[in-house]
Structures are given as structure tokens and as C-alpha cells.
Amino acid sequence: MSFPSGKRSADPEDSVVRRHHLDDSVLARALNEARRCAAIAKPVSAHVLRHSFATHLLQSGHDIRTVQELLGHADVSTTMIYTHVMNKGARGVKSPLDRLEQRRAEYRVH
């Protein structure tokens, strides 16, 4: 992952002035600073955000093939690792009826 630099400079290969990319360590430092400001005790990295993103997509019911494509995994078995992290087994599957019952419970008759 790269982010554009705040300044322009000449490319050493062709002398064209352009905006070059920041080093990955710049993002890492920014994430750590945000972690400190938010008082999060656990380590934070772009990779941790990637794992969280994939896990949350699967938890919210997105198709594993879609998650595979978003993460750029060549093999779905790599993406399947995220299903083990969730550790729900069959309990993680929600039928449409489960969702209907949940909405119905929100309404209270007085």
C-alpha cells in the first residue's frame, strides 16, 4: 500500500518531476500514533486492519468468494482461514427467519 508524497521531486531515472510514494513506514507510524491517541493497547498495523476487514465482512454474511476477490487471494483456501478465526461453526449461519425474529423483537406492544 502506498500513499502519495506531500511534495514533488525529480525522478532519478528520467528527471520528470512528479509526486513519489511515501515509504510504508510512514503509514505504520501514523497508525501507531492513532492507536496511542485512541488508547488502544493492542498492536495495530495495516495488516491487522486487513484481517479485521475480512473477518467483519464474513461475520456480516458476505460471500467468501467476494472476500477472496477483495483481498486478492488466488486460492479460496487462503480466505477460508478467516472463517476459522470466527470460530462459530454452524452457529455463524443466520437464516432469513432469524433476522425477521430479531426485527420483530424490537417492537414492543404496550
Side-chain angles (χ1 to χ4, degrees), residues 12-79:
E13 292 181 13
D14 58 13
S15 299
V16 175
V17 176
R18 59 173 63 105
R19 210 175 286 275
H20 295 279
H21 295 290
L22 296 177
D23 190 79
D24 292 343
S25 64
V26 174
L27 174 63
R29 284 194 301 272
L31 284 172
N32 276 320
E33 179 63 24
R35 178 189 60 81
R36 278 191 294 280
C37 290
I40 297 172
K42 292 187 176 187
V44 175
S45 68
H47 198 72
V48 168
L49 294 178
R50 178 180 166 87
H51 281 287
S52 297
F53 174 67
T55 302
H56 286 262
L57 285 175
L58 291 170
Q59 284 174 333
S60 63
H62 286 81
D63 179 71
I64 192 145
R65 296 288 183 177
T66 302
V67 177
Q68 174 192 2
E69 186 177 331
L70 288 170
L71 295 177
H73 292 160
D75 191 339
V76 75
S77 63
T78 307
T79 314

